[in-house]
Amino acid sequence: RQDLPYAQGLSLIRAAAETYGWTDLSLTDVLDCWRGGCIIRAKLLADFKTAVDAPNLLLDPGIAGIIQQRQANWRRLVANAALVGLPVPAFANSLAYYDALRSGRLDAAALIQGLRDCFGGHTYKRIDKPEADSFTSDWLALANQRSGL
C-alpha cells in the first residue's frame, strides 16, 4: 500500500512535535502540502485530513476500513514478490508496521527475546506467568528434541 508510509510519516511528525514542542504544527497543513505536490498525490491523503486527530491515522475507523478492504491484495503482493526474489522493502515494511500497530501483542518482540535467550542466556518473560521474574530455556536442546536429533 502506497498510503501506509504517509500514515507512518504523520505518526513520526506528531511524535516529533510532542517531543520538541512544535505547538504550531498543523498536520492538516502537512497533508495539504503533500497533496499539492507534483509527486505525492495519493487519493487517500484527502481521507487522511478527516482523521488527523486520531492518535495514528490507521486507528481511525474510516481509514482502518479502507486498509482492511485492501490488505489481502497487499499481502499477496509482498508474498509473491518474496517468492520470486523481488525486493519490495517499502511494501513489506509498511505491512509489518500495519501488523505491529493493530496487534494486541508484538510477537516479533517475543521472538527477539527468545533469540537473545537462546544465544546469550538473556532470559525472557512469559505472558502466561506474568508474576514470575524471568525464564531461560535450552532452546537448541528443545529444537533437537522436537526434530528427533
Side-chain angles (χ1 to χ4, degrees):
R1 294 282 320 135
Q2 68 182 22
D3 310 313
L4 269 288
Y6 300 130
Q8 287 175 282
L10 285 173
S11 182
L12 287 170
I13 290 170
R14 181 190 312 266
E18 290 172 10
T19 300
Y20 299 111
W22 302 341
T23 57
D24 60 341
L25 178 72
S26 165
L27 293 179
T28 302
D29 289 346
V30 170
L31 286 168
D32 284 340
C33 179
W34 287 352
R35 188 157 166 74
C38 60
I39 296 172
I40 305 171
R41 289 196 181 205
K43 183 177 182 262
L44 194 58
L45 288 179
D47 297 324
F48 280 3
K49 286 179 71 170
T50 63
V52 293
D53 292 330
N56 185 301
L57 293 176
L58 301 178
L59 299 177
D60 175 80
I63 302 298
I66 292 168
I67 301 299
Q68 176 68 29
Q69 289 173 351
R70 300 174 182 172
Q71 74 166 310
N73 289 334
W74 183 16
R75 291 179 186 287
R76 263 191 298 284
L77 180 140
V78 171
N80 288 332
L83 287 171
V84 299
L86 179 65
V88 288
F91 286 110
N93 288 331
S94 63
L95 179 59
Y97 175 79
Y98 172 69
D99 285 339
L101 186 66
R102 65 189 189 89
S103 172
R105 184 172 67 108
L106 292 178
D107 293 328
L111 174 63
I112 291 168
Q113 274 192 324
L115 289 171
R116 290 184 72 231
D117 185 52
C118 177
F119 297 110
H122 293 283
T123 71
Y124 59 95
K125 298 278 189 181
R126 289 179 46 174
I127 60 172
D128 63 329
K129 297 185 179 185
E131 70 285 348
D133 285 334
S134 61
F135 294 86
T136 189
S137 297
D138 187 346
W139 297 96
L140 299 177
L142 289 169
N144 288 336
Q145 183 180 37
R146 286 190 176 169
S147 67
L149 297 177

